[in-house]
């Protein structure tokens, strides 16, 4: 089963997308966007940048858990992962974004 982007609304009314792997697990979450069009542009940016491993920044939280961000060519963060127990899990998450994002369908739950 292929991955998909889900567009939803936050409690403050902003639009947000998540990228889910084929198994339904969330692998990337966006910031909040005031307009749906901006959210859609964010999805296109993920599709464009996910194939470049250099766009992923591997990070570690203060509590020792690992996570990553995906950045656009201008350095702006497009999305962030969940927290992983270790670097191996984080690296698997990066591979999953690289595999799922380019061809993922969009499921808009705001309509």
């Amino acid at each position: 089963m292929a991955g998909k982007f889900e567009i939803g609304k936050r409690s403050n009314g902003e639009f947000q997308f998540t990228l889910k792997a084929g198994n339904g697990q969330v692998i990337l979450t966006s910031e909040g966007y005031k307009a749906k069009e901006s959210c859609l542009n964010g999805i296109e940016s993920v599709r464009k940048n996910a194939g470049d491993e250099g766009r992923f920044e591997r990070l570690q939280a203060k509590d020792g858990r690992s996570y990553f961000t995906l950045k656009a060519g201008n350095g702006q963060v497009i999305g962030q992962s969940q927290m992983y127990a270790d670097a191996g899990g984080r690296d698997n998450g990066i591979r999953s974004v690289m595999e799922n994002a380019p061809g993922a369908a969009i499921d808009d739950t705001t309509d």
Side-chain angles (χ1 to χ4, degrees):
M1 188 166 155
K4 69 177 177 177
F5 289 98
E6 283 189 0
I7 299 175
K9 269 195 171 179
R10 293 177 165 187
S11 59
N12 65 1
E14 290 183 335
F15 294 90
Q16 179 180 38
F17 68 80
T18 56
L19 174 60
K20 293 186 174 183
N23 64 4
Q25 182 178 6
V26 174
I27 51 177
L28 192 73
T29 303
S30 76
E31 64 182 358
Y33 297 95
K34 292 190 186 320
K36 187 186 288 189
E37 185 66 29
S38 298
C39 187
L40 291 167
N41 288 340
I43 290 171
E44 288 309 310
S45 186
V46 170
R47 286 180 171 158
K48 177 181 175 184
N49 291 285
D52 182 348
E53 192 164 350
R55 299 272 192 239
F56 291 89
E57 184 174 10
R58 291 161 171 83
L59 302 162
Q60 190 170 28
K62 290 179 183 176
D63 66 4
R65 294 184 298 167
S66 297
Y67 68 104
F68 64 87
T69 59
L70 174 61
K71 293 185 175 184
N74 63 5
Q76 183 178 358
V77 173
I78 312 165
Q80 181 175 311
S81 73
Q82 64 180 19
M83 293 291 172
Y84 295 94
D86 57 37
R90 177 199 59 211
D91 292 346
N92 286 339
I94 290 171
R95 280 192 293 279
S96 186
V97 171
M98 293 179 79
E99 292 169 5
N100 284 281
I106 298 174
D107 180 11
D108 186 349
T109 64
T110 66
D111 292 335

